[in-house]
Amino acid sequence: MIDNKILGLIGLAMKAGKVSFGADSVEENIVKKKVKLVILSEDSSERSKNKFIEKCKKYNIPIIVDGNIEDLSQIIGKNNKSIIGIKDINFAKSIQKKYSGGDIIG
């Protein structure tokens, strides 16, 4: 389950305009190498999981498969979004560090 501090960081990134969301937008930004981290909900379809895991491997972009559609959608203020892309390297690093068990300031 995605921690509240991580959800808070995603919310800040959204307010800063550093988040893309939805499969088409995230995929486009992956190809353009604008996305620094992809977060995919655990309850998204197997097809979506496989597609984005492979795409992230191809473009060497870290991916976190965790959380659920409801939490991701709520934190970015949109409906039914199972995938988001973080476009800022600092937000991406902070989210990854916190997700892997490290502490962040704040």
Side-chain angles (χ1 to χ4, degrees):
M1 194 63 192
I2 294 182
D3 178 288
N4 282 335
K5 288 184 180 179
I6 294 172
L7 292 174
L9 282 170
I10 296 168
L12 283 173
M14 182 67 183
K15 287 178 184 166
K18 303 295 182 184
V19 173
S20 64
F21 49 86
D24 293 340
S25 175
V26 172
E27 184 175 7
E28 181 181 320
N29 282 300
I30 287 171
V31 173
K32 291 180 178 178
K33 299 188 178 186
K34 290 184 177 181
V35 170
K36 309 302 178 202
L37 173 67
V38 172
I39 302 171
L40 183 64
S41 69
E42 282 183 311
D43 55 355
S44 57
S45 71
E46 287 303 314
R47 184 171 173 236
S48 290
K49 285 182 193 174
N50 292 335
K51 174 183 177 179
F52 283 100
I53 288 170
E54 288 304 312
K55 191 143 304 255
C56 286
K57 276 184 194 173
K58 179 179 178 181
Y59 289 94
N60 199 27
I61 296 170
I63 185 169
I64 294 172
V65 181
D66 200 353
N68 58 49
I69 292 172
E70 187 178 314
D71 287 343
L72 289 180
S73 298
Q74 184 178 359
I75 202 66
I76 63 170
K78 305 291 178 189
N79 290 326
N80 202 27
K81 300 298 176 196
S82 65
I83 185 166
I84 59 174
I86 306 296
K87 297 191 276 186
D88 181 85
I89 190 68
N90 295 316
F91 278 119
K93 284 181 179 178
S94 294
I95 291 167
Q96 283 180 281
K97 184 174 181 181
K98 183 61 185 164
Y99 187 75
S100 61
D103 277 333
I104 56 171
I105 297 170

